[in-house]
Amino acid sequence: MPLLEVKDLSVRYDKAQILNGVSLAVEDGELVGLVGPNGAGKSTLLRAVSGLVRFEERAKRGTAGDIVLEGEVRFAGERIDRLAAHEIRRRGLVHCPERRRPFRELTVLENLLAGAFLSRNSVETRRRLEQSFVLFPRLSERKDQIAGTLSGGEQQMLATARALMFEAKLLAIDEPSLGLAPRIRQELFGAIRKIHDGGVPVLLVEQEVAQVFKMADRNYVLSQGRIIGAGSARSLMADETLRAGYLGL
């Protein structure tokens, strides 16, 4: 049984069909890549899996907008597509969203502790805080700095570390390298490898296709709301249509 299983997932915003019958899976212990062109629906897929599309649906009630979600999402054998986002997070499926989004007025340390708000174990919180500083030494150096004054790369480190402050059984990361310098990108990818090597399965959405293919056990290609390719990096790169039209390789 896969750790994460998405079956025939469709999402429509008003009249715009964003996802159309998407199915994918992440096995325990895997690092799975999700790639595709801009506007393919990758971020919407992660928001749907983590319960944020349901949150958006509730937020738009009483307006002219309409959000429709269909299909099934199962995590550790349990159906979760009808759960609130915080309940999904409590079960260990952690979404690290695109564009970092720290609490800008809080310090680095306060942001990290906010990530542990569901935990009642202060000893475990302290252990995870220390792990975060080992994984990202720069955060330790800046723990008393206001998060809004950090560089883009430092904010991404903070967002990733904050996501790990409460037990993560699967980490879904959305475009971590977006807008970052090459050196910072490599530092982040190295940290993601360490997270995965430490036993946390990862679903990685990323624009750097070549980098994802180096890291991932398996990959999915999403385009116009549909999965159009799945498999190893080698098999996907052997498909000339995918290479030329969707992978940018």
Side-chain angles (χ1 to χ4, degrees):
M1 178 186 299
L3 176 62
L4 174 66
E5 187 174 19
V6 179
K7 289 185 177 180
D8 299 323
L9 184 64
S10 295
V11 175
R12 187 176 74 247
Y13 287 87
D14 296 328
K15 296 181 180 180
Q17 191 76 37
I18 309 301
L19 297 177
N20 195 344
V22 171
S23 297
L24 59 79
V26 179
E27 302 286 347
D28 196 11
E30 278 192 313
L31 194 160
V32 172
L34 178 64
V35 299
N38 290 335
K42 303 186 296 297
S43 293
T44 297
L45 175 57
L46 290 198
R47 291 201 301 273
V49 165
S50 63
L52 293 180
V53 165
R54 289 291 186 196
F55 174 81
E56 292 163 3
E57 179 182 19
R58 289 193 296 273
K60 291 188 74 172
R61 284 176 183 168
T63 72
D66 184 33
I67 302 174
V68 177
L69 185 149
E70 298 173 330
E72 291 187 11
V73 180
R74 293 185 180 273
F75 184 65
E78 177 187 5
R79 187 167 178 179
I80 63 170
D81 51 88
R82 295 171 181 169
L83 296 179
H86 70 277
E87 290 293 343
I88 294 173
R89 177 66 179 85
R90 191 185 297 276
R91 283 158 174 76
L93 197 165
V94 182
H95 178 194
C96 188
E98 182 184 9
R99 299 190 185 279
R100 282 77 84 171
R101 300 178 186 174
F103 299 112
R104 298 183 62 84
E105 297 81 11
L106 301 183
T107 67
V108 167
L109 179 59
E110 289 168 338
N111 266 270
L112 291 173
L113 293 176
F117 76 99
L118 290 174
S119 176
R120 297 181 179 178
N121 186 332
S122 60
V123 174
E124 180 65 14
T125 297
R126 174 58 57 180
R127 185 183 71 82
R128 291 184 184 277
L129 186 62
E130 292 172 354
Q131 285 182 333
S132 296
F133 290 152
V134 170
L135 189 63
F136 298 110
R138 206 173 301 194
L139 296 183
S140 179
E141 298 168 4
R142 290 160 170 72
K143 65 179 183 293
D144 297 319
Q145 186 170 332
I146 298 299
T149 66
L150 298 175
S151 70
E154 290 163 348
Q155 289 187 18
Q156 182 62 58
M157 294 174 191
L158 177 58
T160 305
R162 186 179 63 191
L164 296 170
M165 283 296 295
F166 185 72
E167 181 184 9
K169 295 179 180 177
L170 186 147
L171 181 62
I173 313 177
D174 193 0
E175 299 279 16
S177 77
L178 187 66
L180 301 183
R183 182 177 60 83
I184 301 299
R185 290 181 186 178
Q186 291 307 309
E187 191 172 341
L188 278 166
F189 288 134
I192 292 169
R193 285 194 189 95
K194 290 178 182 177
I195 291 167
H196 178 243
D197 290 345
V200 179
V202 175
L203 175 59
L204 177 61
V205 170
E206 178 52 54
Q207 60 182 341
E208 296 286 341
V209 175
Q211 182 66 54
V212 174
F213 280 8
K214 290 178 184 177
M215 299 170 62
D217 300 300
R218 293 185 301 110
N219 302 277
Y220 292 92
V221 183
L222 187 70
S223 179
Q224 296 182 335
R226 297 178 183 272
I227 298 292
I228 60 169
S232 67
R234 183 183 296 272
S235 66
L236 292 173
M237 288 191 294
D239 186 320
E240 194 61 38
T241 300
L242 288 177
R243 279 175 59 89
Y246 302 99
L247 300 180
L249 297 173

